[in-house]
């Protein structure tokens, strides 16, 4: 069941092979979240072209190799035009686009089930440098985000695909807006369980144009990075031309440059309460562990979240007036209208009718003439709180 290794025989140092230096490592699963329409598709398209061409992106080196883009969220008519635009912005000719394979599901409504995941694993073994999956909610509509075992099982499959060699970049959305909470404070939908399964995770938001003099500036926050120091937020300016789209690093306005301790505490509270209602003392303890926030900061965060309507204060009754907290905006509301068929059937991951008898699962769409997978040219294997009380 276990292989016992004496500690002195373990690797003395961690050797990291970066796909995108300091950000995304080869052989790992990374997560990129953000509100709908914020610019994830354009940013990722530029990263894909940079990898295909082997040119630096946002002043960081990348590894050259083949790219697979698995798209359940858009369609080729919408995603396709971004590639020549960002290629022109990077000064890359069209030859690099031949190393990007766009995988269009034959029936995207059924999601990426066990057969599709097995197909991706086989493709990963053929040597691509990067696999992008767009997006969690569209690819796994049958997964209940409230169930840690459901989310963890899918993340385990994706990590297995990454262990075959490529970096796997999973796109995701933030929960629906809640008055008084920023996208950073809301985090990524079901973020606790997803963040636990990812080696690195990032959140993309747009800086209000009034703070940038009308420039189109995005902010990339690092929510997690197990393999490199956690960076300060990056400011990324998009420069639009008639047929080009360029990305360049830029300074962020002072109020956007670094999240405050209170913002970090709010986000930690939301992640803690995604696991279910918690007594006040436990919330304070867990937030201290995750955000290094003191009791006073956590209480301030709880007051703000209760006032904003995102969290509900519960009176537990009994001596001492004990209280607990729970999310008022239920996670189930984030996926309203999506089928919530259990992922598990006994111990096995639920199979969909995604594949036909011949095993075909995707159609490769038009970025390269050859729909098959080419050899990877350069990839390497790799005090009291306000708010209403509810008696329970």
């Amino acid at each position: 069941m276990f292989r016992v290794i004496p500690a002195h025989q373990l690797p003395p140092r961690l050797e990291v092979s970066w796909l995108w230096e300091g950000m995304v490592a080869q052989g790992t699963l990374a997560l990129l979240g953000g509100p709908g329409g914020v610019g994830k598709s354009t940013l990722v398209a530029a990263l894909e072209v940079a990898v295909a061409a082997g040119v630096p992106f946002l002043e960081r080196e990348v590894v050259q190799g083949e790219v697979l883009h698995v798209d359940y969220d858009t369609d080729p008519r919408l995603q396709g035009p971004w590639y020549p635009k960002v290629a022109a912005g990077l000064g890359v000719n069209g030859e690099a686009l031949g190393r990007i394979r766009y995988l269009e599901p034959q029936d995207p409504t059924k999601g990426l089930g066990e057969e599709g995941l097995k197909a991706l694993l086989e493709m990963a073994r053929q040597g691509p440098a990067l696999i992008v999956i767009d997006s969690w909610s569209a690819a796994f509509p049958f997964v209940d985000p409230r169930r840690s075992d459901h989310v963890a099982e899918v993340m385990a499959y994706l990590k297995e695909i990454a262990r075959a060699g490529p970096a796997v970049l999973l796109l995701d959305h933030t929960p629906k807006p809640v008055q008084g909470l920023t996208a950073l404070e809301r985090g990524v939908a079901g973020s606790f369980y997803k963040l636990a399964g990812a080696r690195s995770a990032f959140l993309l938001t747009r800086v209000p144009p009034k703070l940038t003099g009308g420039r189109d500036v995005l902010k990339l926050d690092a929510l997690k990075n197990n393999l490199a120091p956690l960076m300060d937020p990056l400011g990324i300016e998009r420069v639009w031309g008639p047929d080009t789209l360029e990305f360049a690093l830029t300074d962020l306005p002072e109020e956007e440059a670094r999240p405050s301790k209170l913002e970090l505490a709010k986000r930690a509270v939301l992640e803690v309460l995604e696991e279910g209602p918690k007594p006040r003392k436990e919330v304070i303890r867990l937030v201290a562990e995750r955000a290094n926030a003191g009791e006073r900061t956590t209480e301030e965060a709880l007051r703000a979240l209760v006032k904003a309507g995102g969290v509900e204060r519960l009176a537990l009754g009994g001596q001492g007036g004990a209280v607990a907290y729970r999310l008022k905006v239920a996670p189930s509301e984030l996926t309203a209208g999506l089928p919530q068929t259990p992922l598990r059937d006994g111990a096995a991951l639920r199979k969909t009718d995604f594949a036909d008898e011949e095993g075909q699962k995707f159609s490769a769409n038009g970025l390269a003439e050859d729909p098959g997978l080419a050899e990877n040219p350069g990839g390497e294997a790799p005090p009291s709180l306000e708010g209403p009380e509810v008696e329970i």
Side-chain angles (χ1 to χ4, degrees):
M1 183 176 294
F2 299 101
R3 183 165 66 95
V4 179
I5 308 173
H8 69 277
Q9 295 180 12
L10 294 173
R13 63 182 61 86
L14 179 63
E15 300 291 343
V16 180
S17 297
W18 293 105
L19 173 92
W20 185 20
E21 185 183 6
M23 305 284 280
V24 178
Q26 293 182 284
T28 69
L29 173 61
L31 182 67
L32 173 64
V38 73
K40 296 187 296 296
S41 294
T42 59
L43 184 71
V44 169
L47 174 61
E48 291 176 14
V49 172
V51 170
V55 299
F57 182 55
L58 295 176
E59 301 180 11
R60 294 171 183 259
E61 295 296 321
V62 303
V63 166
Q64 185 180 30
E66 177 131 350
V67 177
L68 303 180
H69 184 109
V70 187
D71 206 331
Y72 282 84
D73 211 37
T74 57
D75 92 30
R77 294 170 298 176
L78 299 176
Q79 183 69 13
W82 293 127
Y83 290 108
K85 281 182 174 290
V86 298
L90 287 165
V92 170
N93 62 35
E95 181 183 351
L97 301 188
R99 287 190 282 273
I100 302 174
R101 301 289 188 266
Y102 185 95
L103 303 184
E104 182 183 14
Q106 292 176 342
D107 189 349
T109 63
K110 292 183 179 179
L112 184 56
E114 186 173 25
E115 295 302 318
L117 289 168
K118 287 179 178 178
L120 278 184
L121 178 58
E122 289 305 311
M123 294 178 185
R125 289 170 176 161
Q126 297 181 36
L130 173 64
I131 297 177
V132 174
I133 301 175
D134 189 5
S135 64
W136 170 279
S137 57
F140 305 108
F142 45 80
V143 176
D144 187 342
R146 298 163 295 177
R147 293 282 301 274
S148 61
D149 55 337
H150 286 193
V151 175
E153 189 170 10
V154 171
M155 296 299 281
Y157 265 71
L158 297 178
K159 285 191 287 185
E160 184 68 20
I161 292 170
R163 276 193 289 268
V168 175
L169 180 58
L170 175 64
L171 306 191
D172 201 0
H173 299 289
T174 54
K176 69 179 185 179
V178 176
Q179 184 178 6
L181 301 183
T182 66
L184 182 62
E185 291 165 354
R186 298 198 308 275
V188 179
S191 60
F192 176 74
Y193 305 121
K194 293 173 188 171
L195 287 177
R199 282 287 190 180
S200 54
F202 306 91
L203 184 71
L204 189 69
T205 53
R206 180 173 285 114
V207 179
K210 64 182 180 181
L211 300 179
T212 65
R215 294 181 299 133
D216 183 8
V217 176
L218 307 177
K219 182 174 76 164
L220 186 67
D221 283 281
L223 304 180
K224 174 182 179 180
N225 196 335
N226 288 156
L227 303 173
L230 205 61
M231 67 182 192
D232 289 338
L234 292 180
I236 303 171
E237 183 175 4
R238 294 191 297 185
V239 182
W240 300 81
D243 298 304
T244 64
L245 175 55
E246 296 181 57
F247 291 82
L249 294 180
T250 187
D251 291 334
L252 288 168
E254 184 177 351
E255 51 268 66
E256 295 280 339
R258 183 173 297 183
S260 67
K261 183 68 74 173
L262 177 60
E263 289 174 325
L264 294 173
K266 288 180 183 179
R267 191 171 75 210
V269 166
L270 294 173
E271 290 181 0
V272 164
L273 296 182
E274 281 181 348
E275 305 166 43
K278 296 282 189 297
R280 172 186 170 276
K281 287 185 177 179
E282 187 173 358
V283 171
I284 289 173
R285 177 181 65 81
L286 292 171
V287 171
E289 292 176 357
R290 298 184 189 186
N292 194 27
E295 182 174 346
R296 183 178 298 178
T297 302
T298 302
E299 288 184 339
E300 186 179 352
L302 284 165
R303 278 195 293 271
L305 292 169
V306 169
K307 185 176 181 180
V311 167
E312 192 168 34
R313 186 172 186 261
L314 311 172
L316 298 178
Q319 294 184 346
V323 297
Y325 295 89
R326 69 182 175 193
L327 291 182
K328 192 170 182 180
V329 180
S332 57
E333 294 181 27
L334 305 176
T335 52
L338 293 177
Q340 293 297 318
T341 307
L343 178 62
R344 291 177 176 267
D345 180 9
L349 194 133
R350 184 179 77 90
K351 292 185 177 182
T352 70
D353 297 326
F354 189 67
D356 60 22
E357 293 299 320
E358 286 72 39
Q360 184 179 4
K361 300 161 188 73
F362 304 101
S363 61
N365 224 312
L367 291 182
E369 294 181 0
D370 179 7
L373 288 173
E375 291 291 330
N376 183 359
E380 300 176 2
S384 104
L385 302 177
E386 300 174 356
E389 294 186 355
V390 179
E391 293 285 348
I392 58 171

